[in-house]
Amino acid sequence: MSPTETELPGPRGASEDRGRTPVVSVRGLWKVFGPKADRVPGSDELCALTRRELMDRTGCTAAVRDVSFDVAPGEVFVVMGLSGSGKSTLVRCLTRLVEPTAGDIGFEGEDIRAADPRRLRELRRRSFSMVFQHFGLLPHRRVLDNVSFGLEIRGTARAERTQRAREVIELVGLAGYENSYPDQLSGGMQQRVGLARALAGDPDVLYFDEPFSALDPLIRRDMQNEVIRLHREVGKTMVFITHDLSEALKLGDRILIMRDGETVQCGTGDELVGAPADDYVREFVRDVPRSEVLTLRWIVRQPGPDDPLDGPELGPDVVVREATRAVLAADGPVRVVEGGRLLGVVGDEEILAVVAGRRGGA
């Protein structure tokens, strides 16, 4: 499989989900702003224009251009790009907070674009939730009431919504702050309230639109770790928008990189680093420590006639940094085995080349 393909690989720690029907399926998605926007996706001539040329010719801006991808059950799917790349518009199209111009959006097999306003409200209340950069907390409500607000709108009885709110408040590490007001909390704690509010309704998918970009670096790192922990505990499917490559690599099972509204590459972190699709991606990943991203799959070689094959055994998806000690301590090359099949071997030379930055996407 090419690293640019969007086959569902199954999320980390959830191999049982491999091959299942995607939760979110997007095909040929366009969002064009401007006069007579709907003519753009249907015109080969207009589709071929650059963003600047399209603006000059039609007065339209194509914020999202022919984007397609699937999100597997339980996957953390990250959409990454610089400012103006179209990533935030894309995630808003998925929930129809912004109406797409063309294309298909499937959610658990349902055509989201065909949903009437009543059905759309139901989906937003029960099936997916959004966490934004700006927390959007109600200042006159305590933490407990902010977290239970969605359940209140849904019509859940007070006792039930209070119990559920207390559960998720504890889950996100805010136990003891139930009666605090938002302005009594730090930025990171306020974002935890927003996360708890999104989790309270037990949605199938969580959409994050750059939720941590306004936070201080240390708090941001803590919140990233919190998302990882929560994902391990509750296993929610997540679509996460960010402009930060390190955040994308830390959180994402797969990453879709956008530029000028288009997909540049979609793949796992090691695919982006090990086989960047073009110079744009190559520049993005240039400073990434390859030993912390690349797996043994990328550096395995066929054993030579003098290589002993009785050394330790490791899987192909072990990250190089985690394998370094075992490889360097072995008397010979380490065998890389998948499903009982020998893929090849990795020795000191291959490991040290990656650690020195000489292998993978250079």
Side-chain angles (χ1 to χ4, degrees), residues 166-318:
R166 291 187 183 279
E167 290 172 357
V168 293
I169 286 170
E170 182 173 358
L171 185 65
V172 302
L174 284 179
Y177 291 92
E178 292 86 348
N179 293 318
S180 299
Y181 287 98
D183 63 3
Q184 296 174 315
L185 305 177
S186 68
M189 294 172 73
Q190 289 183 43
Q191 191 58 286
R192 287 174 187 263
V193 177
L195 184 55
R197 182 176 57 190
L199 288 168
D202 195 24
D204 296 326
V205 176
L206 287 168
Y207 294 109
F208 295 84
D209 188 9
E210 300 204 63
F212 310 143
S213 60
L215 301 177
D216 293 337
L218 291 179
I219 299 176
R220 181 172 187 161
R221 184 183 64 188
D222 288 345
M223 288 305 300
Q224 292 167 356
N225 292 335
E226 188 70 13
V227 168
I228 293 171
R229 181 185 69 81
L230 287 172
H231 184 253
R232 287 173 179 162
E233 291 190 15
V234 301
K236 294 293 183 185
T237 304
M238 300 179 179
V239 178
F240 197 100
I241 308 299
T242 183
H243 65 271
D244 186 326
L245 178 62
S246 63
E247 184 168 77
L249 291 171
K250 184 174 183 177
L251 298 179
D253 294 306
R254 286 184 302 144
I255 302 165
L256 184 150
I257 297 182
M258 294 184 69
R259 177 181 56 187
D260 292 339
E262 298 181 278
T263 296
V264 181
Q265 185 171 358
C266 182
T268 60
D270 60 319
E271 287 171 342
L272 300 183
V273 172
D278 61 12
D279 289 341
Y280 183 77
V281 180
R282 189 170 291 107
E283 183 62 23
F284 249 120
V285 303
R286 181 170 58 89
D287 296 325
V288 173
R290 281 158 173 72
S291 66
E292 298 181 8
V293 178
L294 293 182
T295 61
L296 297 185
R297 190 184 299 276
W298 288 92
I299 62 172
V300 67
R301 63 172 173 84
Q302 291 303 305
D306 298 326
D307 284 325
L309 296 179
D310 57 353
E313 179 181 307
L314 292 174
D317 295 320
V318 176

